[in-house]
Amino acid sequence: MSLENYWNNALKKVSTTMDAGKAMWLDFINYDGEYDDTLLLSCDAEMYKENFNTECKKDIQKALDEIANKHIEIIVSVNEEEKEEEEKENKSKKKSAPVIRKTNSYLNKSYTFENFIPCENTNFAYNAVKAIAINPGSSYNPCLIYGGVGLGKTHLLESIGNYIEEKTPEKNVIYVTAETFTNDYINSLAGKKIVDFRIKYRKADILLIDDIHFLDEKISTQEELFHTFNDLYESGHQIVFTCDRPVSELSNFTDRLKSRFTRGLNLSLTAPDYETRVAILKKKCEEKNTKIRDSVINYIAENVKTNVRDLEGSLTTLIAYANLLQTDITLDIAKDQLKHLISATTASEQDISLIDITKAVAAYYNIEPTQLRSKSRTAIIKDARNVAIFLSRKITQYSTTEIGNFFNRDHSTITHSIDIIEKEKKTNADLSSNLDEIETKIRAKAK
Ligand code: ADP
Ligand code: MG
């Protein structure tokens, strides 16, 4: 039985014995959610809370504990944000079911380990994440999964949640995006419900937070996360994060939070190779109960190399076409239907190497490619180097650390070079057109 039922039964029980002058204060108290053995109640004014505490709490606590056959913690918070008007409108609704949805219900049920196909490069990450799901809070705590868009970070993160929910449903798994965590935090501050917020997150056995790069510059949410983190970590509860880049590249994060992220296991996801792309496409067809010819599958796998989301997008386009026109997908249809997507990915980020970029930039500035990677600080070489670095970041998927390794510079120098060009572009039209010209040459060469 849920605490909400216990609460309703306790109300019924005390209503027969409690003096009417005291019982009236119960009318101002609403059930507002629950976590384990803690009942969350709310009311619209401090006065209601005080009167509830002095007049009713003792009796209702006794009734509640008897009904539940254990001690139930009661927390009452004052919701000052509630407008009177809104209250009237919602009154009936509120009394019957002011629900806090179980966070786990947000898990996408198709994100499972069975549905994830690792390739050679991601096998380690896959197995490590699986080990976490089997034995949370032990060896790999905390864990950070990072990589570019569409490479399966959310899929793996939610697989942990789904696995634990299936095998040990009594465990409290919380999955949230960093954006939801932030909104929750802000709302709790606005509604003076910070205690509830903390109870909610700190009662997690497993906390899964997706896309922590969203917290960039959000210093007070970072602070709150830092404390949540410490609390969970110290009590041996598992924490897993995802991020679109390595922690070293999170520039507007407090050092102490960054050091918490790096404390545990950091796993990187990379784009799948050809064989894995074929296997993923076949798996997706199976999931969607659709048959697509091998020649079409191979065609997609050969041409869409960027990430799994794009692979899936191609398949969805073809399936929609087949369903709409009630036709079988031939290779010609596939080529025609996917031509925009495929021309956009040909000579794309994947095929352009940093060497191609240095060659094109050096030719444009009439210098040697090796000078771009040298220590030389001559004005022209410095300018050309900034351009090469800027273009490397813009048109490839290399991280600033990887670009730094290539140009023999540290990651902060790379970020600085990119900033210089970004700023200068805004006022210098010549630079913008030069950049476009060099980029066009690079792309043309890569085709
Ligand atoms: P990210 O969070 O890294 O941006 P997602 O986890 O949302 O990426 O993945 C995008 C889509 O690609 C999802 O539908 C996911 O199921 C699928 N996907 C990604 N990697 C794989 C994989 N290795 N095997 C099967 N499906 C995958
Ligand atoms: Mg994601």
Side-chain angles (χ1 to χ4, degrees):
M1 204 190 270
S2 71
L3 292 194
E4 186 177 12
N5 288 333
Y6 290 149
W7 165 247
N8 288 331
N9 290 345
L11 282 178
K12 266 189 218 139
K13 193 168 175 185
V14 298
S15 70
T16 55
T17 53
M18 198 185 273
D19 168 51
K22 290 183 174 187
M24 63 173 270
W25 296 113
L26 290 171
D27 287 339
F28 300 97
I29 305 291
N30 295 307
Y31 167 86
D32 207 11
E34 58 190 65
Y35 294 100
D36 295 344
D37 292 339
T38 304
L39 179 65
L40 304 174
L41 303 173
S42 68
C43 59
D44 292 335
E46 195 62 44
M47 184 185 81
Y48 299 147
K49 179 178 166 180
E50 276 167 22
N51 283 306
F52 169 80
N53 282 340
T54 53
E55 306 295 341
C56 320
K57 186 161 177 197
K58 206 167 141 220
D59 292 356
I60 200 109
Q61 179 81 64
K62 188 163 169 273
L64 199 59
D65 292 0
E66 278 171 7
I67 293 166
N69 208 12
K70 59 184 169 185
H71 177 67
I72 305 293
E73 182 85 25
I74 297 178
I75 294 182
V76 186
S77 54
V78 180
N79 184 5
E80 291 185 340
E81 286 290 293
E82 289 256 334
K83 308 273 178 301
E84 261 184 46
E85 236 182 81
E86 196 186 359
E87 201 221 275
K88 268 182 221 147
E89 267 175 35
N90 292 341
K91 202 153 191 173
S92 56
K93 204 166 85 191
K94 261 183 133 184
K95 286 227 154 161
S96 57
V99 259
I100 283 190
R101 266 194 272 168
K102 233 188 140 198
T103 326
N104 321 19
S105 61
Y106 293 125
L107 289 172
N108 179 333
K109 294 292 166 208
S110 67
Y111 286 169
T112 60
F113 290 119
E114 292 73 35
N115 289 345
F116 189 92
I117 301 183
C119 62
E120 219 175 286
N121 290 338
T122 52
N123 215 3
F124 175 68
Y126 174 76
N127 283 315
V129 172
K130 215 167 162 186
I132 289 173
I134 294 169
N135 206 355
S138 50
S139 34
Y140 301 136
N141 197 22
C143 170
L144 177 90
I145 307 166
Y146 68 90
V149 287
L151 294 180
K153 301 183 294 298
T154 300
H155 187 135
L156 277 183
L157 191 69
E158 293 200 33
S159 297
I160 301 176
N162 280 320
Y163 183 94
I164 295 176
E165 211 177 43
E166 194 199 321
K167 303 282 177 195
T168 41
E170 70 279 7
K171 289 219 159 121
N172 182 18
V173 178
I174 296 189
Y175 163 84
V176 274
T177 60
E179 187 174 0
T180 304
F181 183 85
T182 306
N183 291 338
D184 241 13
Y185 176 59
I186 293 169
N187 290 337
S188 79
L189 288 178
K192 296 204 169 31
K193 289 192 166 197
I194 191 74
V195 176
D196 299 359
F197 173 88
R198 290 188 178 142
I199 290 175
K200 173 177 170 183
Y201 286 100
R202 294 178 196 185
K203 281 209 165 179
D205 291 310
I206 295 103
L207 178 62
L208 309 170
I209 303 194
D210 209 357
D211 294 333
I212 51 157
H213 47 269
F214 177 83
L215 300 182
D216 196 44
E217 287 183 344
K218 299 189 176 59
I219 301 299
S220 63
T221 313
Q222 287 180 27
E223 274 298 295
E224 189 59 36
L225 180 59
F226 175 78
H227 294 298
T228 308
F229 183 104
N230 286 347
D231 214 71
L232 292 176
Y233 183 77
E234 273 152 27
S235 46
H237 293 162
Q238 181 72 49
I239 312 151
V240 188
F241 301 101
T242 71
C243 186
D244 70 353
R245 63 201 92 154
V247 173
S248 57
E249 292 183 19
L250 292 170
S251 43
N252 299 308
F253 269 68
T254 61
D255 285 341
R256 59 188 197 154
L257 188 57
K258 279 199 324 194
S259 86
R260 290 295 182 276
F261 293 150
T262 39
R263 184 190 262 179
L265 183 67
N266 282 225
L267 301 168
S268 111
L269 292 183
T270 49
D273 53 27
Y274 172 76
E275 287 75 18
T276 314
R277 293 199 293 276
V278 171
I280 291 174
L281 286 166
K282 289 192 169 163
K283 185 85 192 175
K284 297 286 172 195
C285 286
E286 216 178 86
E287 277 171 38
K288 293 179 204 291
N289 247 330
T290 312
K291 266 198 133 27
I292 301 263
R293 300 170 187 201
D294 280 355
S295 58
V296 172
I297 297 273
N298 296 344
Y299 174 74
I300 303 174
E302 267 162 28
N303 290 286
V304 182
K305 302 173 189 169
T306 40
N307 62 52
V308 184
R309 190 168 296 159
D310 289 346
L311 269 186
E312 240 187 324
S314 313
L315 201 61
T316 310
T317 305
L318 295 184
I319 294 173
Y321 182 91
N323 287 342
L324 213 63
L325 299 186
Q326 292 291 309
T327 173
D328 187 26
I329 298 291
T330 61
L331 189 55
D332 283 342
I333 292 179
K335 280 184 180 165
D336 188 49
Q337 285 303 306
L338 301 180
K339 62 175 182 277
H340 300 297
L341 219 150
I342 286 177
S343 64
T345 54
T346 347
S348 74
E349 290 68 27
Q350 289 289 305
D351 302 327
I352 295 169
S353 70
L354 297 179
I355 293 178
D356 294 335
I357 294 173
T358 41
K359 273 188 193 156
V361 173
Y364 191 85
Y365 286 91
N366 217 358
I367 55 177
E368 287 302 314
T370 49
Q371 291 179 298
L372 292 172
R373 299 169 70 187
S374 73
K375 286 205 163 69
S376 168
R377 299 189 54 81
T378 321
I380 176 81
I381 294 174
K382 241 171 89 182
D383 288 349
R385 186 181 299 126
N386 286 343
V387 164
I389 289 171
F390 172 84
L391 288 173
S392 300
R393 187 64 180 144
K394 182 176 174 214
I395 58 183
T396 73
Q397 291 195 326
Y398 289 107
S399 67
T400 45
T401 308
E402 286 164 325
I403 296 171
N405 290 341
F406 181 81
F407 285 98
N408 300 313
R409 257 109 192 128
D410 67 18
H411 135 267
S412 61
T413 314
I414 299 300
T415 317
H416 185 60
S417 296
I418 296 167
D419 285 347
I420 291 176
I421 300 288
E422 290 278 14
K423 278 205 191 95
E424 205 180 327
K425 252 174 59 168
K426 289 191 185 129
T427 50
N428 181 345
D430 283 351
L431 176 66
S432 291
S433 77
N434 292 352
L435 286 168
D436 287 347
E437 197 183 327
I438 304 171
E439 185 178 333
T440 312
K441 283 188 178 148
I442 296 168
R443 289 194 184 276
K445 265 249 161 68
K447 270 190 189 164

